[in-house]
Amino acid sequence: MRSLIVAFLLFSFQLSAQNPLFIPDTLVGPSINLSLQEGTMNFYPGQVTQTMGVNGNLLGPTLILNKTETVTMNVTNNLMDSSTIHWHGMHVSPLNDGSPHVVIPPGSTWSPLIPVLDWASTYWYHPHLHSHTHEQVQKGIAGMIIVRDNDEAALALPRTYGVDDIPLVIQTKAFNATNQIITIESALDTSLMINGTIDPFVSVPQQVVRFRILNGSSERVYNIGLSNNQTFYQIASDGGLLTAPVTMTRLRLAPGERAEILINFSGLIGQSVQLVSYGSELPSAIYGATQPGMGAGQAIPNYTLNPLNGANFQLIDFNIIAATANAITTIPATLITHSPWLAANSNITRALTFSPQNMGPTAINGPFMINMTMFDMMMINQYVPYNNTEIWTLTNNTPISHPFHIHDVQFYILDINGIAPPLNQQGRKDVILVPAGGGIVRFIAKFEDFYDDTVPYMYHCHMLTHEDGGMMGQFIVQAPPLGLNEEDFMNSGNLFPNPVIDQLTINKLKSNQIIRLYDVSGKEVYSNIIEHTEATLNLSSLVSGVYFVVFETDSNTEIRKIIKN
Ligand code: C2O
Ligand code: CU
Ligand code: CU
């Protein structure tokens, strides 16, 4: 099999890399057009590979968003199949989340209006069609999202995209003998690519360079380090910057996780350094380790034939060139402030237990259940009261580690097997690898800003084969009891009553403030400049439902949700 041979070449990372790293284009708001489409790539000599991409043949543009802006995403599905697009890690309403319930049929456009509420960090987008996520992501649909905010902008960090701020989407795929991407269960992910480039190199200036690393693989966990064993510094986890850079020589990244790291290449001009995955050092019971289960009794078919498993292999070759003007040359001492929710203030502890559907030696091959249940589109597994602060306890009674992911929120890890998480996992997270064999992770999160009594959010294993196989559940964030909601008061204006029947009063406004009202589909239904500090809007002609009131001031945008009865 051709892919096996190519993978063997990658295995020896002394070889110099062949192909310049592809850097996806960028798109910025307030209106972003994304076309899901079929395409082709020449990954290997011989037959071309059928692929899927966004605005191109493979992967998609990097979206650059600013916190507090409001962005309309026009996602047109030009595929032959239905799809969805999920904004992984972003805090959006259930209807805007692109879950398996928000299907985009072929030939149609979905246009959610997204208020960007997220902290500066690296997020991503990918399809989430039930039981087809692995297939559509493997064929090529995925892209990176960079959110910027004022706190991040105030720091001396590299941020010139593609120059000293470089996206690295790490993926492995399985190919058949005719160079086609295959997603059947026995297919092994022998082909490694970064941003869709096989065996890549990139020139980097001899200064501090930031890499935004996304593990966009369906199953594989990476254990990332540098070939010269130089230290590097993690500055961000999934959902935001860390308190301070964390000095490290290895970064373990599970499917769905992101990390931003700084590498200082000063003084290395003319040299080349490789980014390597040290798979040989991964402990057992992780996909990518020598032993993917707890012991030799738990085997994945053909796993040992995959040269990447249990091996150290090159991810990308860095060729160090001259510094840029205004180079960043030092690592900041501190980054941002976090105030995690306190366990003592939680409203409830919710328990989720993972178990294999089949006990015995084939348990590792799934399917896997959460609380003894397989995913069912029609079944809501959890009801979360709006504004709850909750502790979720994840117990993994299976022989393999699972990267658990939850939509809607970023969480803080309280402990992993009873021990505080390592420093680089003490920031905001939306994916956490739950250790096998009875491993327990506890996290805390607050379910604020969005609720919907009919459209759920998802939680699932981010090994996409497991997710598609049913290792997923869904939760509804319940509407608060009717009446004024304290949480809906804001600095720049109070809205009442909420829910509203006809007259909505807004006070404490700055003068000459622009107010816009959008429905849940993102359609603007009202806009006006309010001269005075108080205004009454007559909403009697609007249909019942959820609306967003958006206030634009000189320096920012605020978004409030109201309910029209
Ligand atoms: Cu990245 Cu529900 O997924
Ligand atoms: Cu997600
Ligand atoms: Cu899993």
Side-chain angles (χ1 to χ4, degrees), residues 86-89 97-100 124-128 133 256 258 405-407 430-431 458-462 464 467 472:
H86 167 60
W87 321 104
H88 177 128
D97 188 52
S99 77
W124 63 303
Y125 59 96
H126 63 76
H128 217 302
T133 299
R258 291 85 64 208
H405 170 54
I406 184 170
H407 292 206
D430 58 59
V431 179
M458 304 291 130
Y459 55 81
H460 56 90
C461 176
H462 221 288
L464 301 182
E467 174 194 333
M472 176 153 71

Side-chain angles (χ1 to χ4, degrees), residues 183-197:
T183 55
I184 51 170
E185 220 173 292
S186 59
L188 284 178
D189 62 326
T190 51
S191 293
L192 174 85
M193 49 188 79
I194 314 289
N195 301 349
T197 310

Side-chain angles (χ1 to χ4, degrees), residues 6-14 307-308 311-314:
V6 171
F8 269 116
L9 293 176
L10 296 173
F11 178 61
S12 104
F13 53 84
Q14 315 308 351
L308 299 181
N312 302 340
F313 52 87
Q314 179 177 315

Side-chain angles (χ1 to χ4, degrees), residues 299-484:
I300 294 174
N302 298 325
Y303 185 86
T304 52
L305 297 178
N306 187 333
L308 299 181
N309 291 333
N312 302 340
F313 52 87
Q314 179 177 315
L315 297 168
I316 186 168
D317 211 352
F318 297 133
N319 296 332
I320 298 131
I321 58 171
T324 63
N326 306 314
I328 302 286
T329 54
T330 55
I331 307 293
T334 61
L335 297 166
I336 57 161
T337 309
H338 286 262
S339 3
W341 305 285
L342 300 175
N345 295 338
S346 70
N347 300 93
I348 190 178
T349 295
R350 219 174 269 275
L352 269 61
T353 301
F354 313 157
S355 56
Q357 202 182 45
N358 312 306
M359 292 296 168
T362 61
I364 192 173
N365 292 298
F368 300 100
M369 302 183 289
I370 302 177
N371 290 351
M372 301 304 284
T373 315
M374 304 288 288
F375 179 71
D376 177 348
M377 286 285 279
M378 303 306 289
M379 187 198 293
I380 301 301
N381 305 91
Q382 311 286 338
Y383 288 89
V384 175
Y386 177 63
N387 273 333
N388 247 22
T389 301
E390 303 202 345
I391 296 172
W392 286 33
T393 301
L394 313 172
T395 304
N396 179 3
N397 292 333
T398 82
I400 187 167
S401 305
H402 300 277
F404 180 87
H405 170 54
I406 184 170
H407 292 206
D408 182 27
V409 295
Q410 291 288 326
F411 55 76
Y412 287 96
I413 301 168
L414 293 172
D415 41 50
I416 302 174
N417 288 339
I419 298 165
L423 280 176
N424 69 319
Q425 296 187 344
Q426 291 186 11
R428 285 156 64 90
K429 295 282 296 160
D430 58 59
V431 179
I432 180 62
L433 192 64
V434 186
I440 298 178
V441 169
R442 292 193 315 140
F443 69 71
I444 189 164
K446 185 168 186 193
F447 297 80
E448 51 194 347
D449 301 319
F450 300 108
Y451 50 81
D452 192 314
D453 281 324
T454 53
V455 184
Y457 289 110
M458 304 291 130
Y459 55 81
H460 56 90
C461 176
H462 221 288
M463 287 175 79
L464 301 182
T465 47
H466 295 179
E467 174 194 333
D468 283 343
M471 194 178 181
M472 176 153 71
Q474 39 194 356
F475 65 100
I476 287 273
V477 179
Q478 297 168 299
L482 292 185
L484 254 185

Side-chain angles (χ1 to χ4, degrees), residues 90-129:
M90 290 184 68
H91 179 45
V92 300
S93 72
L95 265 178
N96 285 351
D97 188 52
S99 77
H101 295 274
V102 190
V103 173
I104 318 171
S108 63
T109 299
W110 174 58
S111 298
L113 174 91
I114 298 190
V116 181
L117 303 173
D118 308 281
W119 295 26
S121 201
T122 304
Y123 305 87
W124 63 303
Y125 59 96
H126 63 76
H128 217 302
L129 187 70

